[in-house]
Amino acid sequence: MAAAAAAAARGAWGGRRRLALGLPRRAGAPWVASAAASSSSAVPTTKLFIDGKFVESKTTEWIDIHNPATNEVVARVPKATPSEMEAAVASCKKAFWNWSETSVLSRQQIFLRYQQLIKDNLKEISKLITFEQGKTLADAEGDVFRGLQVVEHACSVTSLILGETMPSITKDMDTYTYRLPLGVCAGIAPFNFPAMIPLWMFPMAMVCGNTFLMKPSERVPGALMFLAKLFQDAGAPDGTLNIIHGQHEAVNFICDHPDIRAISFVGSNQAGEYIYERGSRNGKRVQANMGAKNHGVVMPDANKENTLNQLVGAAFGAAGQRCMALSTAILVGEAQKWLPELVERAKNLRVNAGDQPGADLGPLISPQAKERVCHLIEKGVKEGASLLLDGRNIKVKGYENGNFVGPTILANVKPNMTCYKEEIFGPVLVVLEADTLDDAIKMVNNNPYGNGTAIFTTNGATARKYSHLVDVGQVGVNVPIPVPLPMFSFTGSRASFRGDTNFYGKQGVQFYTQLKTIISQWKEEDATVTKPAVVMPTMGN
Ligand code: NAD
């Protein structure tokens, strides 16, 4: 296959399976321009990826990327210029025809090679995530791994993309459907999963035959650049994936460009609502996964040991910067007595830079994020919550400038308090109380978000009743973070989602394809009666 030959001919990177990044400098990575090469910057800069090449931006506007554990500026990312963004879309558009006409088996082969390259480089990608995003190395590996699973699932495209057939719908007439790609699609990603969320987007879209424009979070672009290089090494033809960087102008460009047919967005409600409205108004398909307030309902019959460990892990892991973090506990009846033990377990978590051995949670993404989290804790106290564990003044030895907040627990929280109404997105567990399961269900359903929830119980009937009546898109039964594997879809609902079709799984394929229906009639009486051709056919016969 031509693409494979091209991949093999791509010099040192094409031939190598693994790249050792000399962190923190990342010297030698093809998407990084060294400080010396970049006239405008004293730190390395991140390139754009346009038409199969990593290119330096000609912009005059740069955004600093900080290591959240130290707040040092470690790189810069450009705000791509309008002509660079145009070039990226033009490249996607030019590549679309060939890519969509490439056989599905050839596309599948590229993704089969890609998943292996991601596996081979998983640890290196994870180091880069920890460096730019702050999460622990183990958690960063989970970030890449959950994205890798989507790529693996994309390899089953030959089953996923099947159309439907109804023979003999009437005499001599058959109906069948094809699933066809849309054209150029685009993705806008958040900072908290630098690998997983881009991998929710472009692999599913591209295996279906679309070309793709990605805009990663301007705070953590490195993992996506690494993934793009591996994709090229796997044989992806030039122009099938393009990457631009930037903030609002880049987002507006994507929402408005007439050649972009669909937008996948993951991030906050503020940005998601805006992108959904603006993109839809311009006639695009938009799917937007947004913020959350995920409740864990603890029944008194639950397995106490498991439940407390799961609550603590799911509330404070990744410093609470997960859309599926279990940030709210509702203790039902006698389970309210477990609160002191919950606090003790949370105290035992180790806060440190993500690359330090034994770290359970790392820093928040920015000083502004830390300030916001601390402000919401303070507001909670002012509004009457009890601060049982306060992580605001934590000092991490050797990382005194990092954006650390330790595990924090606010109890006696009521639904009208700001710390309950707003997504905190930090290591803060807010605890409410309920007398009965029915009261707990009412509370969860009154909250506008519908991303995820969990119930902890040993009673199957209680679990069934909760799963059935709770109006939340993803429900865990004794599973604190119920993120579905990619053969299912990510089905957040209500204020956590805008759009009709969800990310990945069957829904993902539906989002990135359109149906064409063929109704054909071949009348039996027109069937030509021929003799078997036994002579070698010659041209012109
Ligand atoms: P964010 O909304 O600030 O940024 C996401 C993307 O949108 C970025 O690429 C950014 O450049 C762009 N953006 C930011 N503000 C914008 C604006 N006002 N207008 C247009 N574009 C804008 O989100 P974040 O802080 O990077 O990520 C955290 C949020 O993402 C949390 O709310 C979290 O719950 C949510 N999230 C949701 C899911 C999910 O699947 N539901 C998954 C991960 C994260």
Side-chain angles (χ1 to χ4, degrees), residues 343-357:
V343 175
E344 283 314 306
R345 279 169 213 239
K347 271 187 198 162
N348 290 334
L349 294 177
R350 287 154 300 178
V351 183
N352 209 337
D355 60 356
Q356 293 304 301

Side-chain angles (χ1 to χ4, degrees), residues 188-193 196-197 200 215-219 246-248 251-252 265-272 274-275 288-292 321-324 365 423 425 451 474 490 492 496-497 503:
I188 301 168
F191 80 84
N192 64 332
F193 283 97
M196 180 185 81
I197 288 176
W200 283 5
K215 193 208 85 65
S217 166
E218 61 278 15
R219 295 187 270 196
Q247 290 173 314
H248 300 103
V251 166
N252 287 344
F265 168 83
V266 178
S268 64
N269 281 65
Q270 190 192 9
Y274 172 81
I275 290 166
N289 266 11
M290 302 182 293
Q321 295 178 121
R322 290 182 183 136
C323 67
M324 288 290 278
I365 187 69
E423 182 185 36
F425 224 55
N451 217 33
Q474 303 173 114
F490 189 101
S496 301
F497 179 69
F503 280 79

Side-chain angles (χ1 to χ4, degrees), residues 304-447:
K304 184 174 168 189
E305 180 68 17
N306 285 348
T307 302
L308 293 180
N309 285 337
Q310 291 191 324
L311 266 184
V312 165
F316 304 118
Q321 295 178 121
R322 290 182 183 136
C323 67
M324 288 290 278
L326 208 55
S327 57
T328 308
I330 302 182
L331 305 181
V332 180
E334 290 290 298
Q336 289 156 22
K337 295 191 178 141
W338 300 357
L339 198 47
E341 262 189 74
L342 184 70
V343 175
E344 283 314 306
R345 279 169 213 239
K347 271 187 198 162
N348 290 334
L349 294 177
R350 287 154 300 178
V351 183
N352 209 337
D355 60 356
Q356 293 304 301
D360 291 313
L361 55 145
L364 294 173
I365 187 69
S366 64
Q368 295 75 22
K370 177 174 174 173
E371 200 181 301
R372 186 179 162 275
V373 167
C374 291
H375 169 74
L376 283 167
I377 297 169
E378 193 185 315
K379 197 141 190 207
V381 175
K382 275 197 188 135
E383 289 176 353
S386 318
L387 187 55
L388 302 188
L389 184 62
D390 184 0
R392 286 175 295 177
N393 298 315
I394 192 162
K395 294 275 174 277
V396 177
K397 200 157 171 273
Y399 296 93
E400 287 75 11
N401 292 330
N403 313 313
F404 294 95
V405 175
T408 298
I409 298 182
L410 285 166
N412 293 319
V413 170
K414 305 284 177 248
N416 62 350
M417 293 182 186
T418 315
C419 63
Y420 178 75
K421 289 192 288 192
E422 283 198 23
E423 182 185 36
I424 300 179
F425 224 55
V428 183
L429 178 68
V430 301
V431 183
L432 293 88
E433 294 174 352
D435 292 335
T436 64
L437 177 65
D438 288 330
D439 292 342
I441 293 172
K442 228 178 266 164
M443 226 181 260
V444 180
N445 287 350
N446 280 338
N447 188 287

Side-chain angles (χ1 to χ4, degrees), residues 97-115:
W97 176 253
N98 274 345
W99 180 244
S100 60
E101 290 291 308
T102 299
S103 78
V104 74
L105 292 178
S106 299
R107 294 202 300 262
Q108 183 190 41
Q109 283 302 316
I110 291 172
F111 280 92
L112 284 165
R113 284 195 293 276
Y114 189 39
Q115 57 83 29

